[in-house]
Amino acid sequence: MNFAWMAWTWPTAIFFITIFALIAAMGVWEYFRPGGDPRVGILRFETTRGDRLFISLLGSSFINLAWLGLVDTNLWWSLALSVAYAILVFRYV
Amino acid sequence: MEKTWNNKAWFLVLPVLLLVGFSAVIPLMTVVNYSVQDTFGNNVFFWSGLTWFEQVLHSRRFHEALLRNLAFSFTILAIQIPLGIFIALNMPRKGIGVPICLVLMALPLLIPWNVVGTIWQVFGRVDIGLLGRTLAAMGINYNYATDPVAAWVTVIVMDVWHWTSLVVLLCYAGLVSIPDAYYQAAKIDGASRWSVFRYIQLPKMHRVLLIAVLLRFMDSFMIYTEPFVVTGGGPGSTTTFLSIDLVKMAIGQFDLGPAAAMSIIYFLIILLLSWVFYTVMTNYDSGR
């Protein structure tokens, strides 16, 4: 199979590998602690681990877009901010 | 009864995963790959980093198309939802009127998008269209090809004509599910028409209304065919909505990189809005 038409680059490959690894890690987590850990956090509705990952990823995309649009083209800072945001989401949402 | 838990059942989802992978995930990955590269065709790509994202985020053209699209979506929601509720409330509940009304309501929904566009394109023409000529005879300056206000009015009226029925049918389904006992109780209590609407009909319609809002918002946020057929995005770019702009960029100008970056941003906005709607909908249900 030839995937040249998909125009792969290393940065985008790493991006997708990271996302798939996160989803796989969620599967492993679910295997050891089944049930998805539902709870009501600061958003005042019930979220599971999967919801929290989704909120983290979606929020991170907007953090990075906002950083690129408003602050700077160096996205390492916004990536760090996204990680901090994800930790907060997993802790409090 | 105890539920049977068997995680092997998840394997039954595998065909769907394959299908989604083939039809959505792989194309999406390709778009992401395109968005960080430049190409002059021939499947040769050059790394360009975040240039296209920066360009789209700072482009006035994108901001204007986004604002236009949001304005369009909220305008049609502000018209279609109250109008749909109003019509549904006034539709007969029994007798021969029911099938007649339902069929009449369903008719616009059966017409394909491009045909709706063509109908309104001809209907509104000043030289041969019934609407255009009538308005002109009444002394109203109406020409959707040159006047932005006329173009907007045409596109909005066309969408209202095409899709209000969907809201009506959904609301009607919610209304007929209310048992007569509710109305009898309201009558005994001497409830006003407004109270009946506010405390019986609206709560019963809440769920279908949320679905109607979600469907109408999504559909209007991706609107392409009708305005493309009627105005072609014009006059100028006054009715160029996001998808029209995106297609112009991707296929008209063959700027695959910027178009890919724009479609990713577009996708993320839709994802965010759908998630908000979905969360509000499901939590309203579980909260009741």
Side-chain angles (χ1 to χ4, degrees), chain A residues 4-9 11-12 15-16 20 43 45-46 54-55 58 61-62 65 68-70 73 75, chain B residues 25-26 29-30 32-34 36-37 43 45 47 50 53-54 57-58 265 268-269 271-272 275 279 283:
Chain A
W5 62 274
M6 284 180 79
W8 280 104
T9 64
T12 48
F15 171 76
F16 282 113
F20 284 123
L43 289 180
F45 57 79
E46 195 177 86
F54 179 76
I55 296 169
L58 190 60
S61 66
F62 280 98
L65 281 180
L68 185 63
L70 303 171
T73 50
L75 289 187
Chain B
V25 179
I26 290 177
M29 282 171 149
T30 314
V32 172
N33 291 339
Y34 280 12
V36 292
Q37 298 178 85
N43 228 13
F45 290 89
W47 174 255
L50 296 164
F53 284 96
E54 226 188 318
L57 286 171
H58 289 127
I265 298 171
L268 287 171
I269 295 170
L271 199 58
L272 176 71
W275 178 75
T279 312
N283 287 296

Side-chain angles (χ1 to χ4, degrees), chain B residues 14-283:
Chain B
L14 218 55
V16 175
L17 276 182
L18 283 176
L19 208 66
V20 171
F22 204 73
S23 67
V25 179
I26 290 177
L28 186 67
M29 282 171 149
T30 314
V31 170
V32 172
N33 291 339
Y34 280 12
S35 72
V36 292
Q37 298 178 85
D38 198 4
T39 182
F40 302 105
N42 236 356
N43 228 13
V44 182
F45 290 89
F46 304 93
W47 174 255
S48 63
L50 296 164
T51 324
W52 304 134
F53 284 96
E54 226 188 318
Q55 189 182 309
V56 171
L57 286 171
H58 289 127
S59 115
R60 250 187 82 184
R61 182 174 150 182
F62 176 70
H63 294 169
E64 286 174 357
L66 179 63
L67 281 178
R68 238 176 259 137
N69 217 145
L70 287 170
F72 175 74
S73 294
F74 285 108
T75 310
I76 61 114
L77 279 181
I79 298 172
Q80 289 177 8
I81 299 296
L83 186 64
I85 295 174
F86 178 76
I87 296 174
L89 284 174
N90 287 296
M91 266 167 65
R93 302 287 155 73
K94 35 180 116 58
I96 184 73
V98 177
I100 293 175
C101 281
L102 286 178
V103 169
L104 282 178
M105 280 297 138
L107 276 179
L109 300 175
L110 298 173
I111 304 173
W113 288 259
N114 59 336
V115 179
V116 170
T118 314
I119 291 173
W120 281 83
Q121 203 246 356
V122 177
F123 189 47
R125 272 177 67 164
V126 192
D127 51 350
I128 55 165
L130 181 62
L131 176 71
R133 283 197 76 146
T134 312
L135 287 176
M138 285 161 72
I140 298 168
N141 185 16
Y142 166 86
N143 189 342
Y144 63 76
T146 53
D147 179 19
V149 178
W152 264 80
V153 170
T154 311
V155 172
I156 286 170
V157 171
M158 174 172 63
D159 201 80
V160 169
W161 176 82
H162 195 185
W163 289 110
T164 306
S165 312
L166 181 75
V167 183
V168 174
L169 293 179
L170 283 169
C171 289
Y172 188 72
L175 281 175
V176 292
S177 72
I178 304 174
D180 270 345
Y182 281 64
Y183 292 113
Q184 285 158 9
K187 215 168 196 175
I188 291 166
D189 287 345
S192 65
R193 183 72 195 83
W194 168 251
S195 307
V196 172
F197 175 69
R198 173 68 189 83
Y199 296 105
I200 297 175
Q201 291 170 324
L202 199 58
K204 279 282 173 188
M205 279 194 294
H206 202 286
R207 184 141 194 233
V208 284
L209 269 180
L210 279 166
I211 295 171
V213 170
L214 181 65
L215 284 177
R216 285 313 304 131
F217 182 81
M218 292 291 105
D219 229 17
S220 61
F221 207 66
M222 61 148 213
I223 190 162
Y224 176 81
T225 319
E226 296 107 310
F228 181 76
V229 173
V230 177
T231 63
S237 55
T238 45
T239 52
T240 301
F241 300 115
L242 281 172
S243 54
I244 296 182
D245 204 21
L246 184 57
V247 172
K248 264 186 196 167
M249 201 188 272
I251 297 168
Q253 301 160 219
F254 210 68
D255 282 337
L256 290 186
M262 182 180 160
S263 55
I264 289 171
I265 298 171
Y266 192 4
F267 169 69
L268 287 171
I269 295 170
I270 291 180
L271 199 58
L272 176 71
L273 292 169
S274 321
W275 178 75
V276 169
F277 276 124
Y278 177 77
T279 312
V280 169
M281 259 160 76
T282 46
N283 287 296

Side-chain angles (χ1 to χ4, degrees), chain A residues 28-40:
Chain A
V28 174
W29 195 355
E30 182 66 26
Y31 180 78
F32 285 106
R33 296 269 159 82
D37 186 21
R39 64 154 191 251
V40 177

